[in-house]
Amino acid sequence: LIKKDLTNSEARINAEELEVMPVTDISDVIKLQGGITQDADGGIHIRGGRSSEVMYMVDGVSMTDAYDGGLSVSVENSTIQELQVISGTFNAEYGRAMSGIINMVTKDGSNNLEGSLRTFSGDHLSYDPIYNNLTKYDPFNHKNAEFQLSGPMISDKLFFFVSGRKYQSDGWLYGLNTFDMYGDTLETFRYNAMNWVDKYSVHSKITYRITPKTKLKLKYLLNREKSQSYDHNMQLVQSGRSIQYNIGDLIGLNFSH
């Protein structure tokens, strides 16, 4: 019951638990764990530490973004076999981490041919005047589609795993575009969604079982995202707002014995 050599708090979530959790992104899973909060900009904080003090690992490889301290390549929930969250003090095997480690192990193919397809769509609806332009319901305002396929290429020797996700949202926080960026009044006013997002990701892996205890894995991850964040001060002047781009690629070769 008491592990005397355990110096840290740890939480583990496996693929079966992720399957039934009402979440769509990995950040939604992480922020449900004890001692973890998420700020308004989406940054993850473990036990009050800065978001840049968290170390992200995928299949044993550090995936921490040197620019903002976040996850450099998106990993979808459907590709994760096990998620490990370590907070507090931890072993010396984890370098360059101050407040916590988030370690993700991705799925491999097997002798069983398996596949899945998941999709949803919807919208936000409100008659509260604090929210602009939400009195009409569009069932396709938010769209999500993802698939997963895995199985054998050579029985007991060579396996594949591939998954992909496409998500698009036209947003739900609207502003009435009234002026141009020079302060002149526009001829026509119109409501525009200010927190839209368009992204997709692909994860593929080939596993070669050399011996029952030795494996060689080749994987490729990519994500592409384009979005705009809501700015309350720019509701009436939307032409001066920036667009955010998130591009990630990872090619990895892993040998384990």
Side-chain angles (χ1 to χ4, degrees), residues 206-224:
I206 295 177
T207 303
Y208 178 55
R209 185 179 297 170
I210 303 172
T211 69
K213 294 184 178 181
T214 307
K215 291 181 181 180
L216 184 66
K217 303 176 184 180
L218 176 64
K219 63 183 176 182
Y220 176 52
L221 281 75
L222 74 86
N223 73 276
R224 301 289 185 269

Side-chain angles (χ1 to χ4, degrees), residues 25-245:
D25 294 305
I26 192 63
S27 60
D28 298 329
V29 182
I30 295 171
K31 68 183 181 183
L32 290 176
Q33 310 310 310
I36 297 180
T37 58
Q38 187 176 34
D39 59 32
D41 295 327
I44 297 294
H45 302 266
I46 298 180
R47 290 190 173 180
R50 296 182 177 92
S51 59
S52 59
E53 295 177 346
V54 180
M55 182 178 183
Y56 296 89
M57 299 183 69
V58 179
D59 292 334
V61 179
S62 176
M63 297 292 290
T64 306
D65 193 335
Y67 175 69
D68 61 2
L71 183 60
S72 58
V73 178
S74 297
V75 180
E76 304 298 343
N77 292 354
S78 60
T79 68
I80 294 177
Q81 181 62 40
E82 185 176 76
L83 173 69
Q84 179 187 30
V85 179
I86 300 174
S87 58
T89 55
F90 30 81
N91 295 332
E93 64 181 297
Y94 302 108
R96 303 184 65 182
M98 296 290 290
S99 61
I101 297 109
I102 297 172
N103 188 21
M104 290 161 276
V105 179
T106 58
K107 295 179 180 178
D108 291 338
S110 66
N111 280 323
N112 299 321
L113 183 61
E114 300 175 337
S116 65
L117 179 64
R118 178 181 300 175
T119 181
F120 67 81
S121 65
D123 196 7
H124 290 70
L125 180 67
S126 174
Y127 295 100
D128 193 322
I130 196 172
Y131 295 106
N132 295 320
N133 203 43
L134 288 186
T135 56
K136 295 181 295 182
Y137 185 81
D138 180 4
F140 300 105
N141 189 63
H142 313 295
K143 301 176 286 292
N144 181 87
E146 51 188 310
F147 77 94
Q148 177 181 314
L149 184 65
S150 64
M153 300 174 70
I154 301 175
S155 182
D156 296 326
K157 277 294 182 181
L158 191 63
F159 313 96
F160 75 93
F161 176 89
V162 61
S163 68
R165 182 189 179 197
K166 169 70 173 178
Y167 176 74
Q168 184 177 1
S169 172
D170 294 332
W172 64 91
L173 297 175
Y174 287 81
L176 185 61
N177 198 20
T178 308
F179 306 100
D180 62 20
M181 60 188 302
Y182 303 105
D184 298 326
T185 304
L186 300 174
E187 294 182 2
T188 57
F189 306 156
R190 59 176 297 179
Y191 281 108
N192 294 324
M194 298 178 63
N195 64 328
W196 58 269
V197 59
D198 187 2
K199 64 179 181 179
Y200 68 90
S201 63
V202 176
H203 178 190
S204 58
K205 180 189 289 187
I206 295 177
T207 303
Y208 178 55
R209 185 179 297 170
I210 303 172
T211 69
K213 294 184 178 181
T214 307
K215 291 181 181 180
L216 184 66
K217 303 176 184 180
L218 176 64
K219 63 183 176 182
Y220 176 52
L221 281 75
L222 74 86
N223 73 276
R224 301 289 185 269
E225 181 177 345
K226 182 179 179 182
S227 63
Q228 275 190 319
S229 300
Y230 177 76
D231 187 343
H232 193 71
N233 297 318
M234 300 290 286
Q235 289 185 87
L236 305 180
V237 190
Q238 298 180 21
S239 56
R241 297 167 59 233
S242 62
I243 297 176
Q244 289 82 45
Y245 297 88

